[in-house]
Amino acid sequence: RQRVQIQFVEDKQEFSRFPTKAGRRSLSRSISQSSTDSYSSAASYTDSSDDETSPRDKTQLNSKGTSDFCVKNIKQAEFGRREIEIAEQDMSALISLRKRAQGEKPLAGAKIVGCTHITAQTAVLIETLVALGAQCRWTACNIYSTQNEVAAALSEIGVAVFAWKGESEDDFWWCIDKCVNMEGWQPNMILDDGGDLTHWVYKKYPNVFKKIRGIVEESVTGVHRLYQLSKAGKLCVPAMNVNDSVTKQKFDNLYCCRESILDGLKRTTDVMFGGKQVVVCGYGEVGKGCTAALKAMGSIVYVTEIDPICALQACMDGFRVVKLNEVIRQVDVIITCTGNKNVVTRDQLDRMKNGSIVCNMGHSNTEIDVASLRTPELTWERVRSQVDHVIWPDGKRVILLAEGRLLNLSCSTVPTFVLSITATTQALALIELYNAPEGRYKQDVYLLPKKMGESLLYLHLFGALHENTEK
Ligand SMILES: *[C@@H]1O[C@H](CO)[C@@H](O)[C@H](O)[C@H]1NC(C)=O
Ligand SMILES: *[C@@H]1O[C@H](CO)[C@@H](O)[C@H](O)[C@H]1NC(C)=O
Ligand SMILES: *[C@@H]1O[C@H](CO)[C@@H](O)[C@H](O)[C@H]1NC(C)=O
């Protein structure tokens, strides 16, 4: 078989004025115990159906008369199609990959079994893989995150999807098994998110690995499981770790937080940002993102920062650099993102004013000394999911969000553009592993080659620029 390589060389020259920085990107978002720590948008609007019948007990046909799928309700396919079309608009990198590689069909002959969140954004990925020549069977890596209408839309076009929102543990493994265990069809690629699919194949169908050319794994947990297999000498195919990608630093920290800080605060508290006094602790990438968004909304923003470079940057960007104690009595909102422990102490929480909001945007969940608030003299009142009022003996209330855990993970959704980066990385990794000449990859865990990481950036750049010039 002829090996296909996609060339992005001209692209590189054309855009050489844009620096490419190699960065790292973590994909950690915990939704349920059932699987994974990767991102999902997980928004769905057709789940209020009264139909309590388990999809496993129903026989459904798509309009072509096939029944090789199991979803909540195939009749929702139209809704799902619209969701997918909306997602496509902000996933121009994948669409551009589709256009560039459609003629070459770099995945012709690929039989991919996938286990990821099943959302409109994943559907754009799956349909891209199909456009590049692959056959796909798909299941959900999380029992809650499936968008039923999207699963229906995929089944309608002939992708074998086994997933619905609210699966039981037993359903979860049943669906995985249905994907792998199909007469006359054996996968030769695995796309996994969390490692459950890989684990299942190892346990139940070890022979399948004779045909597998590679595993692409998304989540930190799954990658960890692969390294363990590799160490034990049990990994019998190459695997690609797409946990790390070039865009981590800028995208996840700066831009994602700039998008999600307002969303997270709004959903939980309905706060008005204009005129509010906000103190952001830490002026790293996350702090830069948060302050930029709040400033644009008309908040009065203070910054605390111990690193002199970042502190000077905050000054240059027009923020008042202060010590937390100087402003603690007057601020309406405290946001921590320093990466350190006990940035907001009990003593400071004692001095905050009635009705102020405290939340954390940093990676650790120890920035706010939440443990110190669990004392008998303070009353905790849960007012919404992720929102607690902590009440002092004199009646003062402090509003604590997500119990001091990362606000954006618990209280906001992930922008499609960010999911597009993940999905494009997965597609490129599959193409690379499937087409790699014998011997390029051994039975080990690899990072996406740097060259591919750059292609990824160019694909997004094209998308972004295309959007700008077309209007
Ligand atoms: C995944 O990425 C995160 C963030 O870049 C990093 O801390 C972690 O070590 C990576 N995990 C693996 C298994 O590569
Ligand atoms: C949430 O914030 C962290 C930084 O603390 C960032 O790395 C991550 O990408 C953000 N996620 C979203 C979905 O905004
Ligand atoms: C705190 O604010 C609430 C709501 O405005 C008010 O009912 C309460 O009396 C205030 N408590 C104190 C101690 O100021």
Side-chain angles (χ1 to χ4, degrees):
R1 216 176 62 83
Q2 211 196 333
R3 306 285 179 177
V4 189
Q5 290 293 326
I6 302 185
Q7 285 301 329
F8 292 94
V9 178
E10 336 75 79
D11 307 348
K12 240 181 255 175
Q13 280 158 359
E14 202 176 333
F15 288 106
S16 57
R17 66 204 150 99
F18 292 93
T20 56
K21 241 196 211 139
R24 289 156 70 79
R25 157 178 159 72
S26 100
L27 295 149
S28 56
R29 158 169 259 227
S30 180
I31 296 179
S32 89
Q33 80 297 348
S34 82
S35 31
T36 188
D37 48 26
S38 64
Y39 288 160
S40 156
S41 65
S44 201
Y45 59 81
T46 53
D47 290 310
S48 51
S49 105
D50 303 327
D51 184 3
E52 292 302 325
T53 326
S54 162
R56 285 166 69 170
D57 301 331
K58 290 197 258 188
T59 318
Q60 302 184 77
L61 292 179
N62 68 13
S63 64
K64 290 173 204 89
T66 350
S67 63
D68 185 19
F69 60 86
C70 188
V71 299
K72 182 81 184 174
N73 184 357
I74 188 70
K75 294 201 185 84
Q76 295 174 344
E78 280 277 308
F79 285 113
R81 180 52 47 196
R82 269 172 239 153
E83 288 268 324
I84 296 169
E85 282 164 6
I86 293 167
E88 280 175 354
Q89 289 178 7
D90 216 11
M91 299 185 85
S92 45
L94 271 183
I95 305 299
S96 142
L97 176 64
R98 245 187 237 183
K99 288 199 189 119
R100 273 151 201 272
Q102 209 154 21
E104 300 174 55
K105 296 249 184 281
L107 290 175
K111 294 181 179 167
I112 305 173
V113 44
C115 181
T116 65
H117 298 286
I118 296 186
T119 60
Q121 291 86 1
T122 323
V124 180
L125 168 65
I126 297 171
E127 295 188 356
T128 303
L129 301 176
V130 171
L132 301 186
Q135 289 175 26
C136 294
R137 296 179 72 79
W138 226 266
T139 179
C141 69
N142 182 290
I143 56 176
Y144 300 116
S145 67
T146 299
Q147 281 180 287
N148 284 334
E149 64 281 9
V150 169
L154 286 168
S155 307
E156 174 58 31
I157 63 151
V159 178
V161 175
F162 296 84
W164 56 94
K165 189 184 175 102
E167 293 166 7
S168 69
E169 181 83 16
D170 183 57
D171 295 335
F172 178 78
W173 296 109
W174 180 85
C175 287
I176 288 188
D177 196 70
K178 283 299 236 182
C179 270
V180 184
N181 183 14
M182 160 82 177
E183 241 187 74
W185 194 92
Q186 261 210 7
N188 52 27
M189 296 292 302
I190 292 179
L191 176 60
D192 206 356
D193 184 337
D196 288 330
L197 169 62
T198 306
H199 175 76
W200 187 259
V201 178
Y202 260 101
K203 226 173 73 187
K204 293 267 171 176
Y205 309 102
N207 280 335
V208 167
F209 278 104
K210 288 187 189 135
K211 287 251 171 73
I212 299 274
R213 290 201 201 171
I215 303 170
V216 173
E217 170 60 55
E218 174 62 39
S219 80
V220 181
T221 322
V223 166
H224 186 70
R225 289 164 93 171
L226 284 173
Y227 279 119
Q228 280 179 334
L229 273 181
S230 166
K231 258 198 210 124
K234 285 188 190 152
L235 187 66
C236 49
V237 295
M240 193 83 81
N241 167 1
V242 291
N243 166 40
D244 291 46
S245 98
V246 275
T247 44
K248 154 81 184 158
Q249 193 67 10
K250 290 291 173 204
F251 276 89
D252 277 19
N253 289 341
L254 178 59
Y255 299 122
C256 257
C257 293
R258 196 174 71 182
E259 302 277 329
S260 58
I261 182 67
L262 303 180
D263 185 22
L265 283 170
K266 218 31 150 190
R267 278 175 206 238
T268 46
T269 64
D270 306 309
V271 67
M272 168 108 181
F273 296 108
K276 285 289 181 311
Q277 303 201 43
V278 184
V279 58
V280 176
C281 304
Y283 202 67
E285 296 295 325
V286 177
K288 289 184 175 81
C290 294
T291 50
L294 290 159
K295 184 181 181 180
M297 286 300 285
S299 300
I300 300 155
V301 184
Y302 303 99
V303 169
T304 71
E305 176 56 81
I306 51 169
D307 176 82
I309 299 175
C310 295
L312 187 56
Q313 285 179 317
C315 284
M316 294 299 112
D317 293 339
F319 298 108
R320 277 278 311 283
V321 178
V322 296
K323 290 209 167 72
L324 186 54
N325 283 332
E326 290 171 37
V327 292
I328 194 75
R329 287 181 188 279
Q330 75 201 59
V331 290
D332 303 292
V333 184
I334 295 187
I335 300 164
T336 56
C337 44
T338 64
N340 297 320
K341 248 179 121 162
N342 291 347
V343 177
V344 182
T345 61
R346 170 64 194 266
D347 176 53
Q348 285 159 333
L349 290 159
D350 283 343
R351 282 181 286 147
M352 292 190 73
K353 66 183 189 193
N354 189 18
S356 49
I357 300 168
V358 187
C359 68
N360 169 47
M361 283 290 284
H363 273 292
S364 82
N365 55 5
T366 48
E367 300 213 14
I368 302 160
D369 189 2
V370 174
S372 76
L373 293 174
R374 299 195 192 277
T375 51
E377 77 275 18
L378 302 185
T379 314
W380 284 56
E381 216 177 82
R382 168 71 32 131
V383 295
R384 288 183 186 177
S385 119
Q386 312 288 354
V387 185
D388 288 295
H389 284 185
V390 182
I391 307 161
W392 268 253
D394 67 353
K396 177 187 97 170
R397 285 166 189 254
V398 165
I399 303 166
L400 175 67
L401 304 183
E403 294 175 67
R405 292 184 304 268
L406 241 175
L407 176 75
N408 63 355
L409 296 191
S410 328
C411 313
S412 73
T413 60
V414 187
T416 297
F417 191 82
V418 174
L419 296 166
S420 164
I421 293 175
T422 308
T424 315
T425 314
Q426 290 167 324
L428 289 175
L430 285 168
I431 294 172
E432 171 67 14
L433 278 182
Y434 186 66
N435 293 287
E438 203 75 42
R440 181 183 290 172
Y441 297 106
K442 314 217 160 40
Q443 298 169 354
D444 205 347
V445 186
Y446 292 85
L447 296 174
L448 193 73
K450 192 151 182 263
K451 183 182 91 204
M452 294 247 113
E454 283 175 9
S455 305
L456 180 78
L457 280 182
Y458 289 113
L459 283 168
H460 281 89
L461 192 52
F462 288 135
L465 291 179
H466 185 68
E467 287 280 316
N468 292 340
T469 48
E470 284 246 309
K471 274 178 204 145

